[in-house]
Amino acid sequence: MQITLEHAIHTYADVYQRVYKRAPRNVHILDSEWVMINGARMRINELEYLTQQLEHEYSKLLAQKRSLVNRLINWFK
């Protein structure tokens, strides 16, 4: 279970970094089910759900950037 916790935290931190351009604060493993991230205590399944939400947010940001770039390219044509 420890490897799963560490992997989940690493994945969350990676996505968090991409979305917010900074690392999450206060990342701790409390026990086999609980973690502390950014001052919030949560279960590992909640962390995985939060990671999915952040990945979705990051995908939306990328789509917006692509759209903007494509509009600029079309405008310059």
Side-chain angles (χ1 to χ4, degrees):
M1 187 70 167
Q2 192 71 6
I3 294 172
T4 304
L5 276 172
E6 290 172 1
H7 177 71
I9 288 173
H10 176 73
T11 303
Y12 172 81
D14 181 53
V15 175
Y16 188 95
Q17 177 75 37
R18 285 186 277 156
V19 172
Y20 297 111
K21 307 292 188 234
R22 61 183 172 89
R25 297 176 294 117
N26 303 327
V27 178
H28 302 27
I29 296 174
L30 300 176
D31 62 24
S32 64
E33 293 184 31
W34 292 91
V35 295
M36 177 78 74
I37 297 181
N38 292 333
R41 182 178 171 186
M42 63 185 80
R43 291 186 181 268
I44 188 66
N45 59 346
E46 295 168 324
L47 178 62
E48 290 171 344
Y49 177 76
L50 185 56
T51 301
Q52 291 173 357
Q53 295 297 103
L54 282 175
E55 286 174 338
H56 180 71
E57 187 68 28
Y58 183 68
S59 295
K60 284 178 22 181
L61 288 171
L62 286 181
Q64 289 173 346
K65 287 179 183 180
R66 272 189 237 115
S67 175
L68 177 62
V69 168
N70 286 333
R71 283 186 279 153
L72 285 171
I73 289 171
N74 288 332
W75 186 78
F76 284 115
K77 283 184 178 180

